[in-house]
Amino acid sequence: MSRPATEPSDLLITGASLLGRTSADVLVREGVIAAVGPDAATDAAAGTPRVDGDGLVLLPGFVDLHTHLREPGREDAETVRTGSAAAAAGGFTAVLAMANTSPVTDTAEAAERVLDLGVAAGHCDVQPIGAVTKGLEGAELAELGLMHRSRARVRVFSDDGRCVHDARVMRRALEYVRAFDGVISQHSQDPTLAGPSACCHEGELSGRLGLTGWPAVAESSIIARDAELALHTGSRVHVAHVSTAEGVEAVRWAKRRGARITAEVTPHHLVLTTDLLTGYDPVYKVNPPLRPAEDVEALREALADGTIDAVATDHAPHARHDKEHAFPDAAFGMLGLETAFAVVHDVMVDSGRIDLATLAERMSHAPARIAGLTDHGRAIEAGAPAHLVLVDPTDRITVDPATSHSLSRNTPFAGHTLTGRVRTTILRGRVTAADGEVRN
Ligand SMILES: [Zn+2]
Ligand SMILES: [Zn+2]
């Protein structure tokens, strides 16, 4: 039986291209990069496992700020084991697990349980996110300090799925986490403007399709309010899944004013548009909803210029019987972990909008920084933990849901052909996935 991937290992990666350099060898000893350069291979002990990086680019392992792993409570849709396997296949070495499980991750014990499930699975580092409020009810603060002081070292808190709507509760949460440089990740959706039945971007199309509208102002108004609270408290706020041009403008304005605010965008909001809803296929039902092409363009621009700091998947697996309903009754959400790199590479890098170094910043360095995961998102140099991914920027993939490691199949990209393939994922010097096959 193979050792769990959480144990450090030796490894030699030969001939991979490093950003800003020609090809080099990378030697890993006991999970840490020991040498980088043309002569690293000569230092390798006999019998060191090898990975051929010829023709590939070596990047820091990806970090996902926003993953729904569904355990505990909905192990029919996903488990920590299957979700983190999908993450490894997608090039991720760390994921942050959202708190809206059943029961909710709102105590130190619940957070430690998710952490332990991640270690036992061994596919990638699984960092629990703590709820902001008890039971995600929006009223009483959860055990933020106890979760932070637990073994799980929780630093990111979110009621995702729901917005922390009460400004006083949001203010107190921000004040509370400032002591340990925590961050509140906000699902920006004013429920009085976009309620639980809102499922289609509000506009001409929502009227024509007879679907309840979800207006952009329900997002931008919460972002603006939270920016004011971040300025007032001096604390960090993170905007989950920004989806509109108005939301982007609010983030831009807040950053100009000096608010400690960061934002993420999902791969699906960078590509898919609201007109896909005309067929009422629930695979395109997601929250926030798909937006018109002008919003998609604004999101791409903001990701390129750094207004949006990070890509995050909002991987949201759903069992077939929760997704296969009439559109208004189907569950919100899409898979994302296994397709994230290809989608972002295809739409942002292959199109020439950003280079691979900027992709690494948005998918690895920035999310690790935002989450305070100091072992991840490091430069590829001696002394850094060996959390790495080898990618082929020229190879094309066609998305086949049947090959997914997730327990669910609700990908909106089935049949899409994209340029950019994850080849090998490495956690502490161990290969966790190679060519879509997950090890151990
Ligand atoms: Zn959300
Ligand atoms: Zn989410």
Side-chain angles (χ1 to χ4, degrees), residues 159-180:
D159 277 3
D160 183 61
R162 299 189 192 169
C163 181
V164 180
H165 185 228
D166 187 313
R168 188 168 144 272
V169 171
M170 187 65 175
R171 174 187 177 178
R172 288 185 50 224
L174 285 165
E175 285 169 346
Y176 201 98
V177 301
R178 189 178 49 207
F180 49 85

Side-chain angles (χ1 to χ4, degrees), residues 67-87 101 117 315-320 322 334-338 404-410:
T67 308
H68 296 276
L69 293 177
R70 303 297 189 214
E71 185 177 5
R74 286 308 305 265
E75 291 85 349
D76 56 328
E78 197 78 289
T79 65
V80 171
R81 184 173 293 275
T82 58
S84 60
T101 47
L117 287 168
H315 178 81
H318 285 294
R320 213 174 274 276
D322 291 320
M334 301 171 166
L335 300 186
L337 288 165
E338 286 160 295
S404 175
H405 295 275
S406 172
L407 278 183
S408 296
R409 291 290 175 265
N410 52 304

Side-chain angles (χ1 to χ4, degrees), residues 70-437:
R70 303 297 189 214
E71 185 177 5
R74 286 308 305 265
E75 291 85 349
D76 56 328
E78 197 78 289
T79 65
V80 171
R81 184 173 293 275
T82 58
S84 60
F92 291 88
T93 52
V95 298
L96 283 93
M98 273 297 174
N100 66 337
T101 47
S102 180
V104 170
T105 309
D106 58 3
T107 65
E109 295 69 34
E112 288 178 350
R113 192 176 130 71
V114 172
L115 179 80
D116 292 343
L117 287 168
V119 171
H123 297 306
C124 68
D125 285 350
V126 176
Q127 171 62 46
I129 290 175
V132 178
T133 66
K134 286 185 181 164
L136 309 178
E137 306 234 317
E140 203 182 331
L141 287 189
E143 298 176 351
L144 309 183
L146 290 177
M147 285 190 271
H148 176 68
R149 290 192 293 277
S150 75
R151 284 188 292 113
R153 305 295 298 170
V154 177
R155 203 183 285 270
V156 182
F157 297 89
S158 182
D159 277 3
D160 183 61
R162 299 189 192 169
C163 181
V164 180
H165 185 228
D166 187 313
R168 188 168 144 272
V169 171
M170 187 65 175
R171 174 187 177 178
R172 288 185 50 224
L174 285 165
E175 285 169 346
Y176 201 98
V177 301
R178 189 178 49 207
F180 49 85
D181 196 30
V183 59
I184 307 294
S185 172
Q186 173 73 292
H187 172 112
S188 306
Q189 175 182 6
D190 186 325
T192 64
L193 292 170
S197 65
C199 61
C200 178
H201 175 73
E202 185 177 286
E204 182 270 327
L205 190 69
S206 60
R208 183 147 57 84
L209 298 180
L211 297 171
T212 308
W214 200 129
V217 69
E219 176 175 272
S220 56
S221 59
I222 293 290
I223 295 172
R225 182 205 72 178
D226 286 349
E228 291 288 352
L229 291 171
L231 282 164
H232 178 78
T233 58
S235 301
R236 288 199 294 139
V237 68
H238 177 73
V239 182
H241 47 52
V242 60
S243 66
T244 61
E246 291 87 340
V248 165
E249 266 319 302
V251 173
R252 200 168 270 138
W253 162 83
K255 286 189 169 185
R256 256 198 321 265
R257 295 186 66 206
R260 299 176 73 200
I261 189 168
T262 52
E264 69 187 34
V265 64
T266 70
H268 49 268
H269 285 113
L270 287 171
V271 180
L272 307 178
T273 52
T274 190
D275 49 285
L276 287 164
L277 270 59
T278 48
Y280 296 100
D281 184 343
V283 80
Y284 299 118
K285 183 173 176 180
V286 66
N287 195 22
L290 301 179
R291 303 294 187 180
E294 308 85 77
D295 292 294
V296 171
E297 181 54 30
L299 295 170
R300 292 175 181 178
E301 261 171 40
L303 187 66
D305 73 20
T307 303
I308 296 175
D309 304 80
V311 172
T313 67
D314 199 3
H315 178 81
H318 285 294
R320 213 174 274 276
H321 58 269
D322 291 320
K323 204 62 175 160
E324 289 186 352
H325 288 281
F327 195 90
D329 305 321
F332 289 102
M334 301 171 166
L335 300 186
L337 288 165
E338 286 160 295
T339 48
F341 169 73
V343 170
V344 175
H345 181 271
D346 189 87
V347 72
M348 298 298 294
V349 181
D350 204 49
S351 67
R353 284 173 177 265
I354 63 172
D355 56 15
L356 269 174
T358 308
L359 178 143
E361 169 64 21
R362 305 283 186 266
M363 292 189 70
S364 178
H365 300 297
R369 238 178 5 248
I370 291 164
L373 296 180
T374 51
D375 271 6
H376 289 268
R378 299 270 294 266
I380 300 173
E381 57 192 25
H387 304 311
L388 302 164
V389 60
L390 276 165
V391 301
D392 187 335
T394 58
D395 204 4
R396 289 163 78 75
I397 65 157
T398 299
V399 179
D400 177 5
T403 64
S404 175
H405 295 275
S406 172
L407 278 183
S408 296
R409 291 290 175 265
N410 52 304
T411 174
F413 296 111
H416 285 229
T417 297
L418 302 161
T419 301
R421 183 190 291 269
V422 172
R423 292 294 296 272
T424 307
T425 313
I426 295 158
L427 181 74
R428 289 182 192 83
R430 291 195 71 79
V431 172
T432 52
D435 293 320
E437 293 301 314

Side-chain angles (χ1 to χ4, degrees), residues 15-28:
S17 162
L18 273 71
L19 297 172
R21 280 195 239 198
T22 49
S23 67
D25 300 332
V26 175
L27 178 64
V28 178

